[in-house]
Structures are given as C-alpha cells and as structure tokens.
Amino acid sequence: QQLKQIADRVGLFVSALYATVLDDILPVLAAHGLRVVAFERLPARRQQALGGFFREEVLPVLTPLAVDPSRAFPLLSSLSLNLVVLLAETPDEPGPRIAVVQVPSRLPRLVHLDDPDGVTFVPLESVIRAHLRHLFPGQAVRECGIIRLTRDAELEFDDEGGRTHLELVEREVRRRRRSDVVRLEVEDAASPVLVQLLRDRLEIDADDVYAVPGPLDLRALAILLDVPGRAELRDPPVQPASVLAAEHHRDLFAVLDERDLLLHHPYDSYDPVLSLFAQAADDPDVLAIRMTLYRASAGSPLIASLRRAADQNKQVTVIVELTARFDEERNIGWARALEEAGAHVIYGVRGFKVHAKVALIVRRTPRGLRRYVHLGTGNYNERTARVYTDFSLMTAADAVTGDASAFFNALTGYSDPPRLKKLVMAPTALRQRLLKLIDRERRRASAGQPAEILAKMNSLLDGEIIEALYAASIAGVRIALNVRGICGLRPGVPGVSQNIEVVSIVDRFLEHSRIFYFHNAGDEEVYLSSADWMSRNLDKRVELMFPVPAGERARVLRDLRAMFRDNVKARLLNPDGTYVRREAGGDPPFRVQEQLQREALRSEALERERAGVHLVPEEGGGGVRPLK
C-alpha cells in the first residue's frame, strides 16, 4: 500500500518536472536562441548533414541486440539510455520481435549544430532513431521507443565467508549492476504493446512504469550551462568572501594558536580548509593527521594533501566510509590510493555508517605538541562547498582537541565509547543530549520562563524527537524549525503544536547545514552538527555535534534567525502536510541567501579596512613590501 502511494506521488512529481522543463524552461531558452530540437523537426539540409555525422561518428559504435526465445533480454545498465525497436513479424518468426540499441554513454548526448541564429542541440537518441535502417537493413520497423531503467541500489551484506568489509562492499557494488529493475521510464508515445513486452521481459508492475512526454534523463540538459555568454539568463557569479583576507601572510596554525576560525560556506571561501591540510602535509613539524572521509570530489586536492603527507612519512589515518550511497566505487578508489601512499585506512565501523566530519592534526611546537581540529556539517568536498550551505570550525581549543583524540581512538582501536567534554557523539549520546536540551526548554516554559528552540536541518523524522518537540510546544516553548526536506512533524495543530513553525527554503544553494539553538533562560547554547534529527543519524551512524564558540555564537544565531525571515524562497508547512509560499505582505522582499552573501562580503571588506597595510621585511635583504 505504501509503495502504491509513493508511486502515485512520484508520478505527480514526474509530471510537474516535465511540465516545468517543456512548458517553461525550454521555450524561454529558445526565445534566447538556445534550442533543443528533435531530428525530425530539423530542415532537410540539417538532417542530411546529421546523416553524415551518424554514419561516420555514431554508427561504428552501435551494437543492435536482438531479443528472441534463444537470446535473453540484454542486461542493461542502470540509468543508461536505450532504444527498444519493435520489428515486423516474419513467416519464420510469427511472434513479436524486439531489439535493443544502447545510446553510447561516451558520445555527447546533445549534438551541437552550427547555427548562425543561435545555438542548436539535437538529442543523440533522435539521430539514432532516424537512421535505424542502417542497423536493421531489410527489416520493417514498426515502432521504436526510448527507455531508461533503474536498478535496485541497496547494498545487502552477508558476512559469511570471512570476507573483509572492503571485499563485501566491492562485491555488492558489482552485484548492483545485475540487481532487480525497480523503475522503467518510457516515452509516452510508446504503444501499450511495446510497454507490455518490456514489462514482461523486465518483470515489473505497471506502477513501476513512468511514461514521460519529453527527453528521458534530463541530466543531459546540464550541458546548456556550458554555452558561453547569455549573462542575462544566469545567476550573478558568487565570489566567496576571504575570512583571512587581512591575514593571508600568516600560516593557519599561527592563526588558530590565537583564535578559532568559523566559516559559513559558500558565503565564506573553502580555501582555508584546503590550505589547512596542504600546510599540514608540507609542514615538517606536523607529525600526524587523522580524519573521517564520507564523500570527496573527483581529483580532490584534499586527498592529494593526505597522500603527500603519507609520502613524507607522517602518520596519516583516514576512516573512509565505503558505503556512502552512490560514492562507493569512488571511495574504494580513494582508500586504495591512500593505502598505496602509506596511510592507515580504516574501512568504516562495523554496524554503523561514519557520517561525522572531523579531522585532527598533531604538530610539534616550541611549547610541546599541539593539536588542531576541523569540524564540519558537510563533506570534505571543495566542489559541493560552492553550492551547499555548511559550516566549518577550526580550533586548537584543548577541550575540543582532546575530545577529537578520544573520538578517533574509539573508532580506530578497541575502547569503550569515550566520555567527551565538548563534542557529542552518536550513536552513544546525541539522542539523549538532544532530548535533554528540548526537555530543559519545556521545563523552563512550564515554570513561566521564556523558552525558545530554533533548529535547522535537512530532515526531521525521528519519532521520539518529534514527541519531545510536541511536549515542549504544549508547555509554551516557541519553536521554529527550518527543515529543507522531509518533515514528519505537523506544526500549528491546536493543543499539540500551535507554537511550532516549520519553514523550508529551496534556493540557489542547497541548504545543508545543521544548527540547533536553545534559549536556556538567556544563557544561550548554539550547536552545529553533521546529523539530522532522523533515527538513522541518531542510532545507526557515527555523528558529531559540537558547540559554537562564544565569539562566533552571535553570528551563527543571526544567520539562523535570518532563515525565518525569508519571504522569497521560503515555504511554510501547514498542519495538513501541504506547503505554501510565504507571502511578503507589506514587507520588502527578503531572500536569505542573497542577504548572507552581502553580509559575508561586507565582513571581508571591514576586515581589510581594519587591517590596513602591513610592512613586512623581506628575508635576506633590505626593502619592504606592502600587504593589503
């Protein structure tokens, strides 16, 4: 029943998606000279030119695969694009005959045509379909439909056989290529006969078939972003602020010896995070680096720094989460590369997914060994740091660095869960701490004191947390939640959640940070975390929550409160589970992401102005150079 309801809802989503693309986006692009046109809609001279392209560049790569009683339906890759051809019956083969042609993934999906009046792209699959006679000479083609299937991507581990965790993950990733089909997308012009043939061959139900009115796999349209010019169609470029603009001549360790450094990405540049690891790799006084790795970019400079550190005989220990969904193969590659460089690689923690984002650097100083820690709400990925909102905290505070050491010792060795002073770890203590913090506000409100909870996260689903929030609301606690995605709490229900507001913001940057604020009778507490308020985060993952240093608390709280003022991209959750856009009313438009960009750049300018010009003697000679 649940799967049926999900299928119905997903069908509505698919319809809305294609209506947006076909009725809104593509017509506006066409009006600006940027067109995506099917082969059959091109003028004859253009079709003739593409015919030559097909014969020279495409045909040699294609392999038609016949399907008949002696030849099984081919094992199509998940999310690959394929043409299914229905051929006319013959006296020798009276039943339906079908063949499959896979659209080559190595060729450009959108073929670029020279166009003096603009830019024109033609979908490769429409070019192939128009030239099927070259693939099936002498055969009558009754119909050709374009399909894309999705295979089950769940990893199911069987520990029997004495395999290592790495071997188990590798085996399951290979199995994924042959897993069951869970979704079939077809063009809506496909006949019922063809769809039924496909259902029979793939053994799927009607609810798992999605007929779409436009090109399958809309990811191909991303190439349009690379077309030069047309600034009027683009968001203005974002220039992240340099938090260290006034201190670029100093090394990060010297900065962290004096103060904490808090960054709000992408408004603040991610460069200091990368610089921290690059400097640690090259600094002869750095002895050890430990970190967790959940997702990293292709060609990650951070991984390069870790490998360089290992090459220089520093003690590098990396806890790689092999089961980060859809990044399994990439993480296996990183793990092997790090091992080859001499790093110690821990392949996760048995029974739990390591989702915490933390790194520890141990360095020799004139005053003895010093530890430095990076904590984050997002992945160690400099690419997503440009489009995801996340926080990074870098600190040398003893209480935090001591907790980080205990955390890594617990994950890499044999020890009981550590007792931490500042950090809060899941699955051992985070749920209990959150429940206590929520209940403390409830007790404050019951005693007639002001009480408030503000929280920002990706998803809110945990039943125990939701019940605690309901109890706090009933007691009079004012609760404002910024939940970008799934929310299992219903706000505004009389007698239950009338004091709770839920806002979702979907804008240019993916809202990814997790921030939790508790009023605490004026002794405010603000936390950042890698964990959402979901059962999987609190019970089945290794996560960390960490307090915001006192000097940065006002800034984080300012940014959090601003999330609830947005009247451009914010949607309010109703008691019945529906969302409505927040109306500006008589207030001026307020778009929080634009506001945070402006504030970050303003802070950078103030820092530069405050720092002024420094005159630093050059080593080995006279003269001075200005540093602005």
Side-chain angles (χ1 to χ4, degrees), residues 270 273-278 281-282 289 291-312 316-321 330-345 379-382:
Y270 197 71
V273 180
L274 299 178
S275 297
L276 179 67
F277 289 96
D282 298 327
I289 304 173
M291 73 172 300
T292 59
L293 185 64
Y294 191 75
R295 298 186 196 274
S297 67
S300 168
L302 189 147
I303 300 292
S305 294
L306 294 176
R307 294 180 65 182
R308 195 165 67 253
D311 284 337
Q312 298 178 27
V316 177
T317 304
V318 185
I319 301 171
V320 178
E321 181 48 65
R330 177 179 293 174
N331 284 3
I332 289 171
W334 290 140
R336 293 198 184 282
L338 287 167
E339 281 186 321
E340 291 173 1
H344 300 294
V345 178
N379 298 310
Y380 286 109
N381 188 321
E382 78 288 350

Side-chain angles (χ1 to χ4, degrees), residues 441-498:
E441 295 300 311
R442 180 195 64 79
R443 290 185 280 108
R444 299 277 195 196
S446 298
Q449 301 177 23
E452 183 180 28
I453 297 172
L454 303 178
K456 179 181 182 299
M457 65 203 76
N458 295 284
S459 299
L460 170 57
L461 277 177
D462 184 77
E464 195 173 7
I465 295 289
I466 291 173
E467 291 292 342
L469 292 170
Y470 285 155
S473 170
I474 293 170
V477 180
R478 179 188 175 274
I479 302 172
L481 306 173
N482 182 270
V483 185
R484 187 201 77 230
I486 301 172
C487 182
L489 178 148
R490 294 294 174 88
V493 177
V496 178
S497 57
Q498 67 270 23

Side-chain angles (χ1 to χ4, degrees), residues 12 35 215 256 357 405 540 554:
L12 296 175
R35 293 175 288 274
L256 297 179
K357 282 74 178 180
S405 290
K540 299 178 181 179

